[in-house]
Amino acid sequence: MKTYSLERKDLFITSKLGPKNHGSGKCRSACLNSLKALGLDYLDLYLIHWPGASGMQPEDARHEALRLESWRDMEKLYDEGILKAIGVSNYTEKHLESLLRGCRIEPSVLQVEYHPQLVQKSLLEFCCRHGILLQAYSSLGSSSSENRLLTNEVVSRIAKECKRSESQVLLRWSIQQGIGVIPKSVNPQHIKENIAVFDFDLTSEQMATISDLHSGHHYCWNPEHVA
């Protein structure tokens, strides 16, 4: 931070609980170890990365109890001011419903895969009803040759209509739904381009046309099978 004349308050830092550290006590230790490794006193956001614990079958009923134990550790860390906000990642509606039944502090954020080929409308509506920010990863698909979003004819046509890039159109599509986006890049030009998405709007017809690309395709993990 000193190199760039930044103070801690200038940064928003997020970390996650890995599946191997689910459970009472283990979650707390993992979080404190992350802080130590980062050289920080607090985290702005801490997320449970996955609804299941490592070393167990997806259908194992113990997942539910373990992730609630982890959440209670996080609630205590929040009370202590070590975590400024807490949330979850890769949770489905059933996982969220279970958490809301047993939590004292509701999650601020749900981070999930969300893009035009995976339009999780019901999950977004659930988050809106409960005041949870849905934050999308893989908004642009993936970096592999499997990615069909950035080269999709519909997306390219709308990008030309808007005089924008395909990535800007895809990010704008999410933002206009009230979804947070976290595109990652090490390319300065791409980073600059990804930020320049707040000075144009997609029409309702363009939004609907992009949404019609939904096919249920996951580029990453599918948590539906986790008990």
Side-chain angles (χ1 to χ4, degrees), residues 14-55:
T14 302
S15 189
K16 292 183 178 181
L17 177 76
K20 69 179 181 179
N21 294 313
H22 265 303
S24 181
K26 291 177 69 177
C27 172
R28 182 182 181 87
S29 294
C31 179
L32 294 178
N33 286 337
S34 292
L35 281 166
K36 184 177 179 181
L38 291 166
L40 300 174
D41 297 320
Y42 70 91
L43 289 166
D44 298 283
L45 176 63
Y46 196 64
L47 302 174
I48 292 178
H49 179 62
W50 185 252
S54 295

Side-chain angles (χ1 to χ4, degrees), residues 165-179:
S165 69
E166 285 83 357
S167 62
Q168 287 175 316
V169 165
L170 290 169
L171 293 174
R172 186 67 206 173
W173 173 82
S174 289
I175 290 167
Q176 280 187 218
Q177 297 176 71
I179 296 170

Side-chain angles (χ1 to χ4, degrees), residues 93-176:
E93 282 185 59
K94 71 176 181 181
H95 299 138
L96 287 172
E97 287 170 348
S98 171
L99 174 59
L100 292 174
R101 284 194 300 268
C103 71
R104 177 170 54 85
I105 301 170
E106 296 187 354
S108 297
V109 175
L110 168 65
Q111 188 183 102
V112 291
E113 182 177 358
Y114 194 106
H115 48 71
Q117 290 177 321
L118 189 63
V119 184
Q120 302 196 63
K121 184 178 179 182
S122 178
L123 185 59
L124 176 59
E125 291 173 347
F126 182 96
C127 287
C128 289
R129 288 196 303 272
H130 292 278
I132 302 169
L133 172 68
L134 192 149
Q135 187 180 70
Y137 67 77
S138 297
S139 298
L140 308 179
S142 77
S143 58
S144 73
S145 58
E146 182 191 9
N147 189 356
R148 309 181 194 96
L149 274 175
L150 290 172
T151 57
N152 184 276
E153 291 182 4
V154 170
V155 176
S156 294
R157 173 173 59 78
I158 292 174
K160 288 179 182 177
E161 292 172 359
C162 297
K163 296 182 173 58
R164 298 284 174 154
S165 69
E166 285 83 357
S167 62
Q168 287 175 316
V169 165
L170 290 169
L171 293 174
R172 186 67 206 173
W173 173 82
S174 289
I175 290 167
Q176 280 187 218

